[in-house]
Amino acid sequence: MSRHTDPKQRIVTSFQRHVANPVLRRVPLQTVLETTGRTSGLPRRTPVGGRRVGDAFWLVSEYGEKSHYIRNIKADPSVRVRIRGRWHEGTAHLLPDDDPVARLRTLPRMNSAAVRVLGSQLLTVRVDLRD
């Protein structure tokens, strides 16, 4: 049995990892979440959709606990977020008790629609920014 039993997740994740993410990471104004690899210890950058509200950045993970960046956050919650081309340090908090569908209604519309359509185990993440 493979690590990912959901075929939709496997297809979407493969496309994101090999096609979309390498391109989007290079777009200067794309929002990017940088975590520390839980095994490698290396920086891992993932394009994300979300919104800054005051001193917090909010996003919803499509695959919750199965997402690699969520697993990295569980190992080390210190992250960086690139918002409008500027890096911000922060601490990520997984919020399983938050309503991710309601949260998506407060986040950018295009990304939120994609997360709702493609996702299967939505999980809200709040990053408390330090600067």
Side-chain angles (χ1 to χ4, degrees):
M1 187 176 203
S2 73
R3 269 189 350 217
H4 303 290
T5 55
D6 178 6
K8 180 172 83 168
Q9 179 187 355
R10 195 167 45 250
I11 291 166
V12 170
T13 300
S14 181
F15 174 79
Q16 289 172 333
R17 181 174 293 148
H18 300 292
V19 179
N21 289 0
V23 173
L24 290 173
R25 274 193 296 262
R26 290 179 176 85
V27 175
L29 294 181
Q30 169 66 47
T31 302
V32 175
L33 175 69
E34 183 181 85
T35 60
T36 301
R38 64 195 172 282
T39 303
S40 69
L42 298 173
R44 299 295 182 205
R45 293 183 174 176
T46 305
V48 295
R51 174 168 284 143
R52 182 176 184 161
V53 179
D55 290 333
F57 181 81
W58 293 86
L59 67 122
V60 174
S61 169
E62 297 170 307
Y63 297 112
E65 304 269 339
K66 291 185 177 180
S67 295
H68 287 278
Y69 70 89
I70 294 296
R71 290 161 46 186
N72 289 343
I73 288 169
K74 287 177 82 170
D76 181 356
S78 294
V79 300
R80 293 193 321 151
V81 184
R82 187 177 74 193
I83 306 168
R84 295 187 177 116
R86 183 169 170 252
W87 286 101
H88 304 270
E89 293 187 7
T91 303
H93 303 276
L94 307 180
L95 304 173
D97 293 331
D98 190 67
D99 180 347
V101 175
R103 181 68 57 194
L104 284 170
R105 288 195 280 276
T106 70
L107 301 178
R109 190 175 299 160
M110 294 272 293
N111 179 263
S112 294
V115 169
R116 276 193 297 275
V117 169
L118 300 173
S120 61
Q121 297 178 4
L122 306 181
L123 175 64
T124 302
V125 179
R126 184 189 75 232
V127 178
D128 293 333
L129 303 172
R130 288 192 281 277
D131 55 349

